[in-house]
Amino acid sequence: MSLSNFDREAGLARLRMMERIRAFEETARSAAIDEELVLGAIHLSIGQEAVATGVIETLRRDDYILSTHRGHGHTLAKGAQADAMMKELLGREGGCCGGKGGSMHIADFGVRMLGANGVVGANITIAAGAAHGIKLLGGDQIVVCFFGDGASNRGPFLEGVNWAGVFNLPILFVCEDNQYSASTLTSDMTSGNIADRARALGLRTTEADGNDVTTLAATAAEITARIRETGTPEFLMAKTYRISGHTYFDPATYRPEGEAERMQATTCPIARQREALVAAGVPSAELDALAKEAHAEMDRALDAARSAPWPADETAFADVQDIGSPLQEAF
Amino acid sequence: MPVMSYADAAKLAVAEAMRDDLTVWCVGEDLGRGGVFKQYTGLVEEFGPQRISDAPISEAAIMGAAFGAAMAGTRPIVEMRFADFALCATDELVNQIAKARFMFGGQSRAPMVIRKPMGMWRSSAAQHSQSLESWYTHIPGLVVCCPATPQDNYSMMKAAIACDDPVVYLEHKNIWASEGEVDTNHAVDFGKAALRRSGRHVTLVSWSHTANVCVEAAETLAHQGIEAEVIDLRSLWPWDKAAVFDSVRKTGRLLVAHEAVSVAGFGAEVVATVAQNIPMKALPKRLGSPRGLIAYAPNLEDQMRVTAPMIAKAAQDMMENEPA
Ligand SMILES: Cc1ncc(C[n+]2csc(CCOP(=O)(O)OP(=O)(O)O)c2C)c(N)n1
Ligand SMILES: [Mg+2]
């Protein structure tokens, strides 16, 4: 099968983005383990890169996204700079949150990425609110809210999805189903299925293979175009798998022996996309070069972060509040 | 006496209580794999998945359902994972659990232990680092405790499980691995402080991890000829006023230190109560975090930290700046 020029470029762009996400996280992981440069917990999305890539490529720059504790991929895909993100993970000056948030609170409002979140499920109502704001202002942007399978068991899931339905808001809820909630198999703690919950709340709901970036992107493109057109919320269930542990230091021994290896061998979205491109006649050397380039970019980001200074001490007191700020009165 | 970690001491207390009383059970996320800080490791193997129960990521349901189960005759130990996430179940705790006995005219009790790992721990940033103990002291109906040592985490966990009132049980994340001797015959009652060091010049009152930091500060002060008495309150409601009053009567000086934000922290309560009752030689002082938020970058995180040198310095100042 040969690809049209358009499909070839789109396929390469998707692979490039997924390789960048993978490289960012692998670089961050080794910076954490080998050099202890990353101080707090980081949650890797290794194996889940296609969801961020396939959905976000269908958005405009002025559309909004909200993410979870596992937010590096979404943030990069929305267009944030790896440099500022890596500095944030190292807690340095120039980090996208000034070193105050770290991985779990990564955010780049410049690209309308309204934040990762340390509280599972909390972003769902907030995302509905962002869409509410768009509607009040009469804009034509849309919101995409990413959350995990486990988050669907929190109350804000019901409240946020219902809200979007009641007020008919331009939002796509994307449940990134990697099957686990930390060390718990989500299905063990979930009654019924998650997509049915969204259907029961009246949302048009699509289920997709979250590891096949090409079909996912096509599906997402249809959905986001429809949301922009109609202003009506929808729900996308993207099946994927977290190849890495819950945090970078989680050996994930709670998974059946061999599961991660088997899934990596069969479902890794990067491997699948490479295969598809090779089968369509793209030379594998070109794909290798693309991966290498991604790693080089992240190495540079890490080098820049490593040599960046700590944030100035007094910034600890800045941006808390205007009236009664700790800069004026801290005790 | 066996030496064990702060985490294992609590686990031993839980296991013993579960052996003694079949109505005691634990519920929270990931408990079947030992809990997020491994403070439940091995318990599911002994007690099975019904009594060491996993839970969906549903804090409100965990708290609310445990309360229902308590009213139906069980004694739940509720694991909130991080004190910060317990805020997702605030209505259940504050409007329901704390008030049920009173509102229902004494018909119901809520014998629950609500475990909330608290405090700053390795760059966990603003949503995973908070010390909110004073909030709960403000809520009638709740017992609040903050153990600082393996011994106290054993003995107070035992007391909390045995208690028929709901107990907000705040363990500090930074000391899970700290080790100490544990005497399993040693009981601790709520409202009884521990004298962690005796001294005659200044009374240092604290709890949780900061009580340990006060002991460190007292050692520094001793080198300068200042003998600080360190009182670890262990439980904040009820708190051991008698022990603090006696100590301040002796030293004439009071410094309260805690990790939580100083403004409206429990230190304010201690200082006010003592000031209303005991004449002092120096103005009393409380030392807590500035009213700022906890950042990720270590140097910014440190801006919010109450350290041993800060405590020692504050005590020294009290010695030097005496009103005539
Ligand atoms: C309210 C709340 N409860 C618990 C946690 C701890 N926690 C962090 S991530 C996580 C698992 C989330 O699972 P899921 O939503 O499926 O997302 P995934 O980690 O798989 O990406 C848990 C329980 C939290 N951060 N917030
Ligand atoms: Mg999950």
Side-chain angles (χ1 to χ4, degrees):
Chain A
M1 184 190 78
S2 80
L3 288 174
S4 74
N5 211 27
F6 177 79
D7 287 343
R8 185 179 191 281
E9 286 315 309
L12 282 172
R14 287 173 192 139
L15 182 64
R16 183 177 302 112
M17 183 56 78
M18 293 196 293
E19 291 281 15
R20 288 182 67 226
I21 296 170
R22 179 78 53 101
F24 179 87
E25 294 198 322
E26 286 178 351
T27 305
R29 176 167 62 188
S30 53
I33 295 174
D34 305 338
E35 300 184 70
E36 294 181 18
L37 283 169
V38 176
L39 298 140
I42 54 175
H43 302 83
L44 307 175
S45 61
I46 291 178
Q48 304 181 203
E49 296 90 346
V51 184
T53 303
V55 173
I56 294 172
E57 73 161 56
T58 72
L59 299 183
R60 297 195 320 221
R61 200 175 162 85
D62 64 344
D63 289 330
Y64 293 94
I65 67 165
L66 285 90
S67 178
T68 69
H69 54 284
R70 204 177 299 288
H72 308 136
H74 308 132
T75 312
L76 271 173
K78 193 67 178 59
Q81 296 300 310
D83 237 54
M85 289 175 61
M86 197 64 85
K87 284 181 183 147
E88 190 58 35
L89 266 59
L90 268 63
R92 302 304 170 101
E93 189 178 289
C96 43
C97 304
K100 289 176 168 178
S103 162
M104 225 182 326
H105 307 296
I106 205 142
D108 185 348
F109 281 51
V111 297
R112 302 217 166 178
M113 190 288 176
L114 301 190
N117 210 305
V119 181
V120 168
N123 63 337
I124 302 176
T125 53
I126 302 169
H132 206 137
I134 290 171
K135 185 165 179 169
L136 289 173
L137 296 172
D140 68 343
Q141 307 95 317
I142 69 172
V143 177
V144 173
C145 176
F146 293 95
F147 57 93
D149 39 307
S152 69
N153 287 324
R154 281 217 55 223
F157 171 87
L158 174 83
E159 299 181 25
V161 176
N162 181 62
W163 190 280
V166 165
F167 291 99
N168 197 30
L169 301 174
I171 180 167
L172 172 61
F173 295 101
V174 179
C175 179
E176 216 165 317
D177 181 7
N178 63 12
Q179 304 174 34
Y180 285 90
S181 309
S183 76
T184 301
L185 194 59
T186 303
S187 58
D188 283 350
M189 287 291 126
T190 304
S191 186
N193 89 50
I194 298 166
D196 284 346
R197 295 179 183 179
R199 289 189 192 99
L201 288 163
L203 264 63
R204 181 163 177 171
T205 297
T206 308
E207 296 180 59
D209 178 350
N211 290 329
D212 178 353
V213 73
T214 311
T215 59
L216 183 71
T219 306
E222 268 177 45
I223 298 172
T224 54
R226 198 159 53 223
I227 294 171
R228 203 180 303 282
E229 168 84 22
T230 61
T232 296
E234 298 201 25
F235 195 96
L236 174 64
M237 190 71 199
K239 272 266 177 216
T240 181
Y241 186 78
R242 187 194 79 209
I243 292 171
S244 42
H246 174 60
T247 55
Y248 76 85
F249 47 79
D250 168 23
T253 49
Y254 43 82
R255 302 199 280 212
E257 180 102 13
E259 180 185 276
E261 293 74 13
R262 191 181 70 251
M263 294 298 277
Q264 175 155 29
T266 53
T267 69
C268 169
I270 293 182
R272 282 172 68 175
Q273 181 67 353
R274 276 187 63 109
E275 269 166 40
L277 288 168
V278 169
V282 182
S284 59
E286 195 175 322
L287 306 181
D288 293 343
L290 201 145
K292 226 175 122 186
E293 211 177 282
H295 274 279
E297 177 193 356
M298 301 312 162
D299 286 345
R300 284 193 304 274
L302 180 59
D303 284 342
R306 194 191 273 113
S307 54
W310 296 112
D313 286 355
E314 49 299 356
T315 64
F317 298 89
D319 284 324
V320 177
Q321 61 193 104
D322 289 335
I323 311 298
S325 158
L327 288 165
Q328 291 137 21
E329 187 183 353
F331 292 95
Chain B
M1 260 187 289
V3 169
M4 62 185 85
S5 71
Y6 181 80
D8 284 348
K11 185 168 75 182
L12 179 64
V14 170
E16 288 178 358
M18 290 182 72
R19 283 176 207 132
D20 289 349
D21 181 350
L22 291 176
T23 70
V24 177
W25 63 298
C26 303
V27 58
E29 298 151 15
D30 298 298
L31 296 199
R33 269 73 53 218
V36 68
F37 297 108
K38 301 295 162 217
Q39 68 277 50
Y40 296 86
T41 300
L43 295 184
V44 73
E45 286 77 4
E46 178 174 354
F47 299 105
Q50 279 206 313
R51 294 182 68 203
I52 299 293
S53 180
D54 278 331
I57 309 174
S58 307
E59 284 74 14
I62 295 169
M63 189 80 84
F67 172 44
M71 290 199 293
T74 72
R75 303 183 79 84
I77 297 171
V78 172
E79 178 57 60
M80 282 284 122
R81 191 181 189 114
F82 279 71
D84 315 71
F85 309 152
L87 302 184
C88 301
T90 306
D91 174 61
E92 288 71 17
L93 179 61
V94 174
N95 280 328
Q96 312 298 333
I97 294 169
K99 297 175 173 54
R101 178 182 177 188
F102 179 82
M103 287 188 308
F104 300 144
Q107 299 178 88
S108 92
R109 303 298 304 256
M112 306 170 65
V113 182
I114 298 136
R115 295 179 80 172
K116 300 183 176 187
M118 65 175 273
M120 284 196 245
W121 175 66
R122 41 168 298 185
S123 277
S124 295
Q127 291 177 340
H128 287 73
S129 302
Q130 296 169 91
S131 295
L132 300 176
E133 66 273 18
S134 74
W135 291 24
Y136 302 106
T137 65
H138 197 72
I139 306 300
L142 301 178
V143 172
V144 182
C145 74
C146 305
T149 64
Q151 177 69 62
D152 285 347
N153 209 14
Y154 171 83
S155 301
M156 300 191 85
M157 180 59 79
K158 270 294 186 62
I161 298 169
C163 179
D164 284 334
D165 293 322
V167 179
V168 174
Y169 198 91
L170 299 137
E171 289 156 289
H172 200 291
K173 301 195 287 290
N174 209 39
I175 52 177
W176 283 122
S178 67
E179 296 201 324
E181 287 189 336
V182 173
D183 175 357
T184 55
N185 292 313
H186 179 76
V188 171
D189 293 330
F190 295 118
K192 278 274 167 261
L195 183 63
R196 298 282 297 274
R197 183 187 174 106
S198 35
R200 60 206 159 91
H201 295 131
V202 55
T203 300
L204 306 183
V205 173
S206 191
W207 51 89
S208 190
H209 180 41
T210 311
N212 303 331
V213 181
C214 282
V215 172
E216 217 185 301
E219 280 157 18
T220 315
L221 287 166
H223 292 302
Q224 300 158 12
I226 299 170
E227 294 299 334
E229 181 143 295
V230 180
I231 295 181
D232 175 356
L233 289 183
R234 304 195 283 199
S235 71
L236 298 189
W237 196 268
W239 65 282
D240 195 344
K241 296 184 191 68
V244 176
F245 287 4
D246 285 350
S247 177
V248 177
R249 270 192 205 102
K250 178 173 70 176
T251 64
R253 299 178 186 90
L254 171 66
L255 170 62
V256 190
H258 55 68
E259 183 175 317
V261 166
S262 182
V263 174
F266 198 68
E269 178 64 26
V270 174
V271 167
T273 307
V274 174
Q276 283 176 341
N277 288 280
I278 316 280
M280 286 177 267
K281 294 187 213 162
L283 293 175
K285 192 171 169 73
R286 66 198 155 120
L287 194 57
S289 161
R291 193 175 175 284
L293 295 166
I294 299 169
Y296 173 83
N299 65 314
L300 302 187
E301 188 185 45
D302 284 346
Q303 304 298 311
M304 300 300 143
R305 209 183 285 283
V306 172
T307 62
M310 287 163 70
I311 295 167
K313 168 86 171 49
Q316 240 175 323
D317 288 351
M318 291 175 82
M319 298 297 298
E320 284 161 15
N321 305 328
E322 292 207 348

